[in-house]
Amino acid sequence: MPLPKVDAVVIGAGAGGPIVAKELAAAGWRVVLLEKGRWHTPADCRKDDLRNQRNATLGYPFGPEEEGNPRVFVDLDGRERIVKPSEPGYNNNAFCVGGGTLSYGAMAWRYHPDDFRMRSTYAAKIPRAFENSTLDDWPISYDDLEPYYEKAEWEIGVSGDVSGDPFKGPRRRPLPMPPLPPTREHEILEKGARRLGLHPFSIPMLRNSVPYNGRPACMRCRWCVGFACEVDAKNGTQNTVIPTALATGNLELRTECSAREILLDEKGNAAGVAYFDRDGRLWEQPARYVVVSCGAIESARLLLNSRSRLYPAGLGNRFDWVGRNLQGHTYTGANGLFEEIVYDDLGPGASIAVCDWVHGNPGLAGGAMLANEFIRLPYQFVSGIRAPDVPRWGRAHKEFVRHAYRRIIPVQGPTQEIPVFDSRVTLDPRVRDKFGIPVARISGYRHPHTIEVSESMAGRAAEWLRASGAVNVWLRRAGRGVSGGQHQAGTCRMGADPKTSVVDPWCRVHDTDNVYVVDASVHVTNGAYNPVLTIMAIAYRAGERLAREGRRA
Amino acid sequence: MFLAGSLGAAAACGRKPAPAPGYRFLTQAEVETLGAWVDTLIPPDEDPGARDAGVVRYIDIQLTRWFRRHQQDYRDALAALDRWARSRTGYGFARAPAGEREEMLRLMEQGKADAAWFPGGGKQAFELVLAHAMQGFYGNPRHGGNAGYASWKMIGVPPMPVRGREHYLAAKTFPERS
């Protein structure tokens, strides 16, 4: 059933879409924001160690629902299986208002200037990173994004102190909030880093360290990453741009609405969106512009599901680039056991980072920011951390947990991945979701050089821990399977050449006048840092330009 | 085979064996076998073991909820472990000596359990119960395990911050703190 036409419909209320929606609504546009999940509030916070967005032992609280939303995962040996959201291979982030930003750890990194020019930086020096890879430069630079990084930092709200990071790109303004006071882990690691001649500093975080934007400061509990914040001190789109946009009176947010396809006219432009509401009724929302912001897996799926005579292989997919280059981050690091108690139960945990190994590693293309980890909840600790000589159960295991829980510091970081053309999202030919829509099929592998860099980063983490006084250090290594998950990116690459990319430097799908993709799908490479601030900056940049130059309905 | 006969007959008639009093799925015999199993994985010492920390209750509750698909896995594994113990020691698993219980679980972990009772070697059942035992012991008490915050007290982390809805839960569990 067709609804009244609006200026823009934005699909997906995660990190990117709501920023575009807010920029447009503030400029007077009539905007509809569709979200597949629900709108949760701080009152929905459950400090549940077994049911959160980082531990789905008993399911995900912030979507998707376990039944009716399958994907297909193809492993390294080519075996395929249908996976539910809580099962390995699904590569879930979140399906809810705010998307991943409701429950993330909230590190607020700007990418390094060289993260935008990986080809220029490494093509001559490290040719093996370019064998069987799609490693390339972005069509935009750090300088293009700098004003929008700043806007995200001030509008959404970032605390921290990056003045001690000599490797960062140039910036005009400091962060709006100071860092939270250091934890015991922070102090121990800071001494070790100085001993090695490194440059430690306080991680920028989308978290209030002081009251900001009318909401309180962090209360420093240990249930942070994976959880909604009980006191609403964690800043996501759900408590910033979405309320701002709704207050203009120009935005309508429709939750529990699942897009089926982008409707296309005979010229190949979008006419609107077809979607199912929570009762399974099919609606058509006509719109002058369509903005796709569903995350790298679902955005690719939606484009591939939007077919017409002009786009038999899916919208934007004339040259077979939609869904390609799926990447995330390869997390590796080390655990260090200390003689003294290092744990002080002060959330969120992650606090100190070094960027000395982001670039400039001899013989390697890229690297990683390394940081101490968010607080390990007891079951997370038990299922993920164990010294190599400790048995998995029995008296000795219990003794290890009792002794070591408060004496271990994990250090890890997101190795920048070398993108691979055959790591990808396609449509599964058989499996459909509860609405009958073909589901995402995920397949591929990590580039060997990604593994090489990540091994080196694990060694660096161990070095840092030893210098900080750890008496026993062991590495955390990575597998070779396809990457994605919470940091999923790359499937609708941004580029100047329509033959080797999906969207232009302003996030417009090359083949169309009026379809935009605004999320990490457009990332050419995914940086050596958590991606969310870059998603937000790109959204501010694309939204501002569309509000200025777009033609309303 | 006579022991198995009564269970088989119940299943054939579509009747489920009666749960133990206060439990949702597990029978009295299963509660005892599983209690000994999880207590072998996380034994009592100066801190409570898995059984006293409510791990059997956690698993029982979840077998009617999130672990529903594992109901038959548990039924089969608990019966097999008990019969294997009888054949090895003359006692059911719950009454077998601690060293025997440990040895049997070690064999299952290596996939080398007696094929007469565990045709696949027992590794699958072992991993399932190990994961569930750790969840029940170290997870949030709201799901029936970690009774009295046993594991959190053991490792020395404080209970939930006293705030909002958690205020009531914390006051009940840690009256000395409220």
Side-chain angles (χ1 to χ4, degrees):
Chain A
M1 189 187 306
L3 296 156
K5 187 170 182 176
V6 294
D7 296 320
V9 57
V10 178
I11 309 162
I19 288 175
V20 178
K22 176 252 167 189
E23 290 291 289
L24 298 177
W29 290 39
R30 284 163 300 141
V31 182
V32 167
L33 175 56
L34 300 176
E35 167 53 46
K36 189 178 169 113
R38 299 195 177 97
W39 195 349
H40 302 275
T41 72
D44 294 327
C45 172
R46 302 281 183 282
K47 293 177 168 5
D48 191 337
D49 301 36
L50 301 179
R51 181 176 164 83
N52 58 73
Q53 288 307 108
R54 294 297 182 278
N55 190 320
T57 294
L58 303 179
Y60 284 113
F62 304 131
E65 282 172 9
E66 189 75 352
E67 301 302 328
N69 300 292
R71 287 175 181 162
V72 172
F73 181 74
V74 185
D75 69 17
L76 284 172
D77 299 320
R79 285 181 303 234
E80 62 175 73
R81 58 178 197 272
I82 299 173
V83 287
K84 293 180 182 181
S86 74
E87 291 174 339
Y90 193 88
N91 282 284
N92 190 33
N93 186 359
F95 286 56
C96 63
V97 174
T101 74
L102 175 71
S103 57
Y104 57 6
M107 289 197 195
W109 295 103
R110 296 178 175 206
Y111 285 176
H112 189 281
D114 286 347
D115 290 347
F116 297 92
R117 45 188 190 222
M118 291 294 280
R119 172 170 287 280
S120 310
T121 307
Y122 293 110
K125 281 188 281 186
I126 320 286
R128 69 188 182 287
F130 293 82
E131 289 164 15
N132 302 312
S133 88
T134 45
L135 189 58
D136 216 330
D137 291 347
W138 291 50
I140 59 174
S141 69
Y142 173 88
D143 293 338
D144 292 324
L145 277 188
E146 200 283 334
Y148 303 99
Y149 274 134
E150 180 185 301
K151 194 169 179 183
E153 286 164 352
W154 284 78
E155 275 201 20
I156 314 286
V158 174
S159 62
D161 181 3
V162 296
S163 62
D165 174 18
F167 305 100
K168 67 183 183 297
R171 51 183 304 141
R172 296 177 305 174
R173 287 178 89 184
L175 296 171
M177 287 179 272
L180 291 166
T183 59
R184 203 176 296 166
E185 280 189 17
H186 183 122
E187 285 164 351
I188 291 166
L189 289 170
E190 180 162 11
K191 284 197 196 99
R194 301 262 180 238
R195 211 164 284 149
L196 290 176
L198 303 172
H199 302 82
F201 61 97
S202 291
I203 300 172
M205 298 272 200
L206 288 139
R207 178 179 292 100
N208 291 351
S209 59
V210 293
Y212 193 77
N213 268 341
R215 285 177 289 102
C218 171
M219 68 183 207
R220 313 209 66 177
C221 79
R222 65 176 176 269
W223 292 267
C224 191
V225 64
F227 299 85
C229 178
E230 185 176 6
V231 296
D232 216 10
K234 191 153 65 178
N235 305 321
T237 55
Q238 78 286 345
N239 55 11
T240 54
V241 286
I242 290 173
T244 303
L246 288 170
T248 65
N250 296 324
L251 174 72
E252 189 189 336
L253 169 61
R254 295 184 197 149
T255 59
E256 294 178 78
C257 290
S258 301
R260 184 181 74 175
E261 64 183 307
I262 297 163
L263 301 166
L264 298 159
D265 65 20
E266 66 284 358
K267 290 189 200 130
N269 286 318
V273 176
Y275 70 91
F276 292 99
D277 68 14
R278 77 192 68 178
D279 301 318
R281 280 176 302 194
L282 183 63
W283 298 88
E284 288 182 10
Q285 175 60 64
R288 178 72 185 83
Y289 289 91
V290 172
V291 180
V292 180
S293 306
C294 313
I297 294 170
E298 293 295 319
S299 285
R301 176 188 173 206
L302 182 59
L303 293 189
L304 294 171
N305 270 321
S306 304
R307 295 165 189 240
S308 71
R309 187 177 50 79
L310 288 171
Y311 309 126
L315 177 58
N317 198 30
R318 258 197 309 154
F319 298 100
D320 191 22
W321 275 72
V322 173
R324 298 283 189 176
N325 309 310
L326 177 64
Q327 59 199 290
H329 281 119
T330 297
Y331 270 88
T332 56
N335 299 304
L337 178 68
F338 290 74
E339 267 170 1
E340 75 275 22
I341 287 177
V342 298
Y343 179 88
D344 56 10
D345 199 52
L346 279 180
S351 170
I352 183 169
V354 298
C355 293
D356 296 67
W357 296 305
V358 163
H359 288 284
N361 298 296
L364 300 174
M369 169 279 295
L370 293 183
N372 71 325
E373 207 181 307
F374 290 94
I375 284 186
R376 289 71 57 195
L377 297 172
Y379 176 60
Q380 259 174 325
F381 177 94
V382 168
S383 55
I385 299 179
R386 187 168 47 86
D389 56 340
V390 173
R392 300 166 67 216
W393 52 277
R395 222 161 276 281
H397 179 262
K398 191 180 178 195
E399 186 53 49
F400 168 76
V401 178
R402 183 164 41 216
H403 174 77
Y405 182 80
R406 291 186 295 161
R407 290 181 172 82
I408 284 180
I409 302 180
V411 164
Q412 62 170 10
T415 284
Q416 170 145 217
E417 296 187 345
I418 309 297
V420 174
F421 199 58
D422 286 333
S423 287
R424 63 187 299 203
V425 174
T426 55
L427 295 180
D428 191 82
R430 288 175 297 277
V431 180
R432 289 160 186 258
D433 69 9
K434 64 183 168 191
F435 299 113
I437 309 168
V439 305
R441 177 185 173 90
I442 298 165
S443 61
Y445 60 95
R446 284 180 227 217
H447 194 276
H449 194 65
T450 299
I451 303 297
E452 196 181 336
V453 177
S454 77
E455 291 278 316
S456 168
M457 293 301 112
R460 297 299 194 182
E463 218 176 291
W464 185 6
L465 284 163
R466 280 194 204 97
S468 305
V471 291
N472 186 9
V473 175
W474 61 99
L475 303 186
R476 312 170 80 181
R477 297 204 158 94
R480 286 158 200 276
V482 65
S483 200
Q486 279 120 26
H487 293 186
Q488 55 186 265
T491 55
C492 301
R493 174 176 281 202
M494 177 190 281
D497 181 356
K499 290 200 177 71
T500 56
S501 59
V502 177
V503 301
D504 76 5
W506 298 98
C507 298
R508 181 181 56 84
V509 175
H510 287 301
D511 291 343
T512 72
D513 294 334
N514 66 346
V515 180
Y516 287 73
V517 178
V518 182
D519 59 29
S521 306
V522 306
H523 293 190
V524 175
T525 50
N526 210 20
Y529 308 89
N530 307 53
V532 75
L533 200 75
T534 301
I535 298 170
M536 289 170 168
I538 288 172
Y540 273 116
R541 180 172 175 272
E544 180 191 272
R545 157 120 162 178
L546 186 56
R548 193 175 63 233
E549 301 192 0
R551 297 187 312 279
R552 295 175 50 189
Chain B
M1 288 321 282
F2 284 111
L3 276 171
S6 58
L7 273 179
C13 303
R15 275 188 296 113
K16 285 191 172 171
Y23 286 80
R24 301 180 184 192
F25 174 77
L26 298 168
T27 65
Q28 189 59 47
E30 288 169 337
V31 165
E32 282 165 27
T33 306
L34 185 56
W37 189 336
V38 298
D39 246 11
T40 311
L41 298 172
I42 308 171
D45 47 18
E46 70 251 45
D47 290 294
R51 189 205 325 244
D52 289 343
V55 167
V56 177
R57 190 167 302 277
Y58 165 78
I59 294 173
D60 180 67
I61 291 170
Q62 292 307 325
L63 280 172
T64 64
R65 303 181 65 179
W66 198 260
F67 302 157
R68 189 181 289 273
R69 66 188 182 284
H70 292 306
Q71 284 187 354
Q72 199 57 45
D73 298 332
Y74 267 86
R75 197 127 274 170
D76 294 346
L78 290 167
L81 185 65
D82 208 46
R83 281 180 230 143
W84 182 28
R86 276 179 214 287
S87 78
R88 265 176 80 101
T89 69
Y91 296 99
F93 186 76
R95 278 169 194 76
E100 279 290 332
R101 292 202 308 262
E102 282 171 27
E103 179 58 17
M104 290 170 73
L105 293 188
R106 224 181 329 269
L107 288 167
M108 287 177 75
E109 184 181 23
Q110 296 160 0
K112 292 177 187 161
D114 191 332
W117 311 113
F118 288 99
K123 175 136 183 91
Q124 229 173 349
F126 175 86
E127 295 297 336
L128 187 72
V129 176
L130 178 62
H132 292 172
M134 293 295 170
Q135 293 158 15
F137 190 72
Y138 291 104
N140 189 302
R142 67 185 299 139
H143 300 295
N146 197 2
Y149 295 75
S151 68
W152 295 3
K153 283 178 174 165
M154 169 183 112
I155 60 181
V157 299
M160 316 264 196
V162 177
R163 238 203 125 86
R165 82 181 61 246
E166 312 295 8
H167 174 83
Y168 304 99
L169 183 57
K172 214 164 67 183
T173 316
F174 291 94
E176 72 276 14
R177 283 174 184 272
S178 56

